[in-house]
Amino acid sequence: MTGSFVAAIDQGTTSSRCIIFDQDGAIVAVDQREHRQIFPKPGWVEHDASEIWTTVQAVVTGALAHAGLRAQQLSALGITNQRETTVLWDRATGQPVHNAIVWQDTRTAALCHELGGTDGQDRFRDSTGLPLASYFSGPKAAWLLDHLPGLRSRAERGEIAFGTMDSWLIWNLTGGTDGGVHVTDVTNASRTMLMNLETLEWDPSILTAMNVPAAVLPEIRSSAEVYGTAVGALAGVPVASALGDQQAAVFGQACYEPGTAKNTYGTGSFLLLNTGNRPVPSKSGLITTLGYKIGDQAPVYCLEGSIAITGALVQWFRDQLGIIRSAEEIETLAASVDDNGGAYIVPAFSGLFAPYWRSDARGVITGLTGYVTKAHLARAVLEATSWQTREVVDAMYQDSGVPITTLKVDGGMTANRLLMQHQADVLGVPVIRPKISETTCLGAAYAAGLATGVWSGLDELKTHWQRDVEWEPHLEPEIREREYGNWRKAVERSLGWQEEGAGSR
């Protein structure tokens, strides 16, 4: 072993960061930089993949400097990333052919509606575990191939590479145009709607249906193995893991047994339940997805409830309405009143994800009276996250029959104690935050360390997990259910605002 440190790159929706961990899983250094959000049209969201690669290089250099380490002292590098965000690039020049289309982008709604045909949203669900929705990567790739002149013929000739952010970073880290490795892992591949959940291979029938040429696709590998060796600032370091950000949080939260669950609160929120070595089909609006695959071990599957807008609602409250100056202020403002004053906010800015999958939904504020103040709205902003999570937990129980007895939580919003208490209250179960809340990076580091012998196995990793704070539910059940009923009424008001299937072809 060349050192007892493992680095993880977390390429997120709004920023990139690098965290270096020691052998005990403790944080040694962090560096983080934001990148631009590009909104060309309503419902369209893009990123500049070249800008992201530049910021990733900067945070790697920054983290090493903060730690006082040289690259040679790192045993491995892991990657975790915003999922579904799609980039196509020229293999010869290394340049993206267009901005990356972000997971939140809804331009493929019409294409997805068309692909559904007489089968509707569930056309590919048996093979992929996913409903046809603008969220996923395959239709985004198809849209780019349809809309950029000459691109499809170049793609068919093998001149163009497709990838989610893990593939883009690994290719660049391992040499780019000079021998870069073009791979993805099973967790990211499972979010493209192009991979078969059983075979863990690209599904030829879906590729044909979506008109995505196989020549553009990366090789699908496990989540923890050495894909290649880094060049540049990390020269010589094994690039040894890739996990979509939510799966990485499952791994970092030590959710290794069936029935264990975690919720990550970021731009959106993503609740994953480990269901073991077999995929569990969902009848309740959830996604069946890969949890992780360690080397040649059997894959582990999850049920996932994906919520599009949670932390982003606080950002909207701050940036678009200007009611607060910082995200942290919302807790103080919300705590100045005892309840929401009867107001509910459903943040369906780009439709609703789980358990509805309604691209025709749009955001609403309901229950307004002259009594409602900005403090009540602040509370309603926070409560929207709790109620959306409750809907997902209910759906998980319906699908799996496994009740969630505790919920492990992570992500930036877990610093908001008022929100975490409300989350425990509306679920009726304890909510537990770990000592290391950076579980996404930690999961990527753990997987990379497993692949390179830094850690011996899952049992050793479990010993590192420690609780920080636990919130117990206090709300009376009848009040909880009454409020939940009001929330469900508010959701009904959000539906049907956009013509179903509307989008840009």
Side-chain angles (χ1 to χ4, degrees):
M1 194 170 76
T2 57
S4 55
F5 302 98
V6 178
I9 293 167
D10 179 2
Q11 202 299 292
T13 306
T14 58
S15 67
S16 301
R17 59 188 168 161
C18 179
I19 302 183
I20 298 174
F21 297 90
D22 66 17
Q23 200 151 1
D24 296 323
I27 292 174
V28 176
V30 183
D31 199 63
Q32 181 166 353
R33 299 197 183 195
E34 292 190 353
H35 58 261
R36 289 177 301 143
Q37 307 298 306
I38 303 164
F39 304 103
K41 295 183 183 181
W44 291 29
V45 190
E46 296 179 355
H47 290 155
D48 179 341
S50 295
E51 178 191 1
I52 284 175
W53 169 232
T54 299
T55 63
V56 164
Q57 293 174 88
V59 296
V60 165
T61 304
L64 284 170
H66 294 325
L69 294 173
R70 302 184 311 281
Q72 295 91 323
Q73 293 172 273
L74 298 177
S75 299
L77 172 70
I79 308 287
T80 181
N81 56 288
Q82 54 166 326
R83 304 171 305 172
E84 297 93 22
T85 295
T86 301
V87 60
L88 297 180
W89 68 93
D90 185 310
R91 292 182 191 270
T93 68
Q95 294 302 307
V97 299
H98 188 275
N99 281 339
I101 301 181
V102 179
W103 58 272
Q104 300 152 311
D105 189 286
T106 59
R107 77 186 66 183
T108 57
L111 173 58
C112 290
H113 192 66
E114 187 180 302
L115 281 166
T118 55
D119 296 318
Q121 274 191 321
D122 290 338
R123 178 178 176 186
F124 305 122
R125 192 187 278 273
D126 286 348
S127 301
T128 67
L130 310 176
L132 257 168
S134 59
Y135 182 24
F136 303 109
S137 318
K140 297 181 196 299
W143 189 95
L144 286 166
L145 291 167
D146 284 343
H147 283 77
L148 298 183
L151 188 62
R152 183 172 294 284
S153 59
R154 294 184 63 209
E156 288 168 351
R157 291 196 299 270
E159 298 170 12
I160 303 299
F162 157 87
T164 42
M165 279 296 155
D166 58 309
S167 297
W168 170 243
L169 293 183
I170 292 168
W171 188 80
N172 279 294
L173 283 162
T174 55
T177 56
D178 185 18
V181 180
H182 189 208
V183 297
T184 189
D185 92 298
V186 289
T187 67
N188 282 292
S190 76
R191 315 298 292 205
T192 60
M193 199 182 279
L194 302 174
M195 187 190 83
N196 185 292
L197 272 185
E198 296 277 356
T199 66
L200 308 186
E201 299 287 348
W202 302 119
D203 191 305
S205 64
I206 299 176
L207 294 180
T208 299
M210 287 201 199
N211 203 11
V212 174
V216 303
L217 299 173
E219 181 186 354
I220 300 174
R221 306 275 282 272
S222 80
S223 312
E225 62 176 274
V226 176
Y227 309 124
T229 304
V231 299
L234 290 171
V237 179
V239 182
S241 77
L243 289 149
D245 52 10
Q246 304 311 320
Q247 287 94 336
V250 167
F251 208 70
Q253 283 274 37
C255 294
Y256 304 141
E257 282 83 36
T260 51
K262 71 89 205 173
N263 198 19
T264 298
Y265 300 79
T267 305
S269 286
F270 302 87
L271 201 157
L272 277 76
L273 172 72
N274 183 325
T275 60
N277 298 127
R278 298 295 307 162
V280 173
S282 175
K283 306 296 182 192
S284 308
L286 301 177
I287 289 168
T288 306
T289 196
L290 262 292
Y292 55 86
K293 185 178 188 301
I294 304 304
D296 58 5
Q297 297 177 23
V300 170
Y301 294 86
C302 288
L303 278 172
E304 174 176 331
S306 312
I307 303 167
I309 302 290
T310 55
L313 183 60
V314 177
Q315 291 175 320
W316 172 81
F317 198 64
R318 178 194 67 194
D319 299 339
Q320 304 295 82
L321 299 190
I323 293 175
I324 52 175
R325 290 188 303 274
S326 70
E328 293 74 25
E329 283 180 31
I330 197 167
E331 182 172 10
T332 305
L333 183 58
S336 68
V337 290
D338 292 331
D339 55 36
N340 61 19
Y344 296 83
I345 300 178
V346 181
F349 294 164
S350 53
L352 287 171
F353 286 6
Y356 298 98
W357 298 104
R358 291 284 295 264
S359 60
D360 64 328
R362 288 297 178 267
V364 297
I365 304 175
T366 64
L368 289 180
T369 63
Y371 171 74
V372 172
T373 66
K374 63 183 180 181
H376 294 114
L377 291 179
R379 201 164 182 114
V381 164
L382 296 179
E383 291 181 356
T385 290
S386 302
W387 291 124
Q388 290 181 101
T389 302
R390 163 72 189 269
E391 290 186 296
V392 165
V393 168
D394 285 359
M396 283 190 169
Y397 179 67
Q398 289 165 16
D399 278 338
S400 69
V402 178
I404 292 176
T405 55
T406 60
L407 183 65
K408 291 180 174 179
V409 298
D410 54 73
M413 294 182 84
T414 61
N416 190 312
R417 290 173 174 261
L418 181 67
L419 170 60
M420 291 297 100
Q421 182 59 57
H422 189 256
Q423 186 69 88
D425 286 341
V426 304
L427 293 179
V429 302
V431 167
I432 304 172
R433 187 179 72 197
K435 280 198 171 169
I436 294 183
S437 61
E438 304 290 357
T439 55
T440 305
C441 271
L442 185 60
Y446 278 170
L450 282 182
T452 53
V454 176
W455 294 293
S456 60
L458 299 184
D459 288 340
E460 182 182 356
L461 296 180
K462 274 190 278 190
T463 66
H464 293 169
W465 190 92
Q466 294 177 296
R467 77 181 58 207
D468 177 29
V469 185
E470 182 169 339
W471 290 271
E472 294 283 345
H474 298 313
L475 199 62
E476 295 293 330
E478 58 270 20
I479 298 174
R480 179 170 69 228
E481 296 313 307
R482 183 191 71 211
E483 293 291 302
Y484 189 33
N486 290 339
W487 166 260
R488 299 295 289 271
K489 283 195 290 186
V491 171
E492 286 295 321
R493 305 296 193 274
S494 77
L495 304 177
W497 286 95
Q498 184 87 1
E499 185 179 342
E500 188 72 82
S504 179
R505 280 306 309 273

